[in-house]
Amino acid sequence: MHRRLAHIGSHIIEQRPRTVENLWSRGTSTSVVRDKGRMSKTQDFFGRSAFLVVGASTNREKFGNKVLRALKITFVDGESRVPEYKGKTAPVVPINPKETVVEGLSGHTSLKEAAEVLSSMSIKPEEAGIHLITPPKATKDVVKEALSLGFKSFWMQPGAEENEAIEAADSAGALVISGGPCVLVELSCLDLH
């Protein structure tokens, strides 16, 4: 099958023939849009020693649960669907103020508590990545607290982005992924229900 790539600015768009397998739920024949700079940020983020999921949920219909499961499948269960992450293991830590266990993983009520748990595993905050699946107002508060604890990598899932949080993280020299890339797409886990 011939692959057609189109360059639009710094983006690469892969166009595929219209087949049932290639159609997204929106009915488009253009698949994943990749930004060259974003790809290296994504790879850097997935190179972290641990992942925290702020907004992890026990409700399997919510994205906080789906993102947690995608990370668990990839980095805890060792069943990566993406070749470059096969064999990589890392703790995945759900953060939820009301739940002590989410998808079989020990949950923590705060970033401070999670940082202490990571420290007991000899993982420093700057070695971990935080996935945010929170309302934008909460994202701002989480990033502020996380920076004060020494965290330096943030992935704001679509809908969680908040401009002041992005600016604060950028100003602190943190790795920030925002503006559209979703963990479910990057880890080939769109089929989680």
Side-chain angles (χ1 to χ4, degrees):
M1 178 183 302
H2 179 68
R3 290 177 50 180
R4 293 181 3 193
L5 299 177
H7 293 269
I8 301 174
S10 66
H11 293 81
I12 300 171
I13 300 175
E14 181 178 355
Q15 296 181 317
R16 298 179 182 172
R18 280 190 171 271
T19 65
V20 173
E21 294 82 20
N22 292 340
L23 291 177
W24 288 64
S25 60
R26 293 185 188 112
T28 178
S29 62
T30 302
S31 65
V32 179
V33 176
R34 302 270 187 199
D35 178 305
K36 293 176 190 175
R38 189 184 94 214
M39 286 175 64
S40 62
K41 277 185 168 184
T42 301
Q43 290 167 341
D44 186 13
F45 194 93
F46 284 136
R48 307 284 94 197
S49 298
F51 302 104
L52 284 68
V53 181
V54 179
S57 173
T58 56
N59 181 339
R60 291 188 133 219
E61 296 302 313
K62 293 196 171 201
F63 283 103
N65 181 279
K66 292 179 182 186
V67 167
L68 180 75
R69 283 190 286 145
L71 292 165
K72 183 177 183 266
I73 287 167
T74 304
F75 299 111
V76 175
D77 299 341
E79 298 174 13
S80 178
R81 300 173 180 184
V82 180
E84 56 261 40
Y85 305 122
K86 285 200 183 293
K88 176 177 172 32
T89 60
V92 175
V93 181
I95 310 293
N96 181 309
K98 299 175 185 170
E99 302 294 337
T100 57
V101 176
V102 183
E103 292 295 324
L105 300 171
S106 293
H108 301 282
T109 60
S110 69
L111 283 173
K112 184 177 181 187
E113 183 182 312
E116 291 168 0
V117 169
L118 292 177
S119 178
S120 73
M121 293 186 265
S122 299
I123 298 172
K124 298 174 186 170
E126 63 268 19
E127 297 170 342
I130 297 178
H131 293 270
L132 293 139
I133 308 97
T134 52
K137 185 179 182 316
T139 297
K140 180 179 169 184
D141 295 336
V142 169
V143 168
K144 181 179 177 183
E145 179 185 2
L147 288 169
S148 74
L149 292 169
F151 290 97
K152 294 285 189 181
S153 297
F154 303 93
W155 191 322
M156 298 176 194
Q157 296 302 309
E161 300 99 335
E162 201 281 332
N163 288 335
E164 287 182 42
I166 294 168
E167 290 170 12
D170 279 338
S171 294
L175 169 65
V176 180
I177 300 176
S178 66
C182 176
V183 169
L184 300 178
V185 172
E186 299 297 329
L187 295 180
S188 297
C189 289
L190 283 171
D191 60 340
L192 294 179
H193 301 287

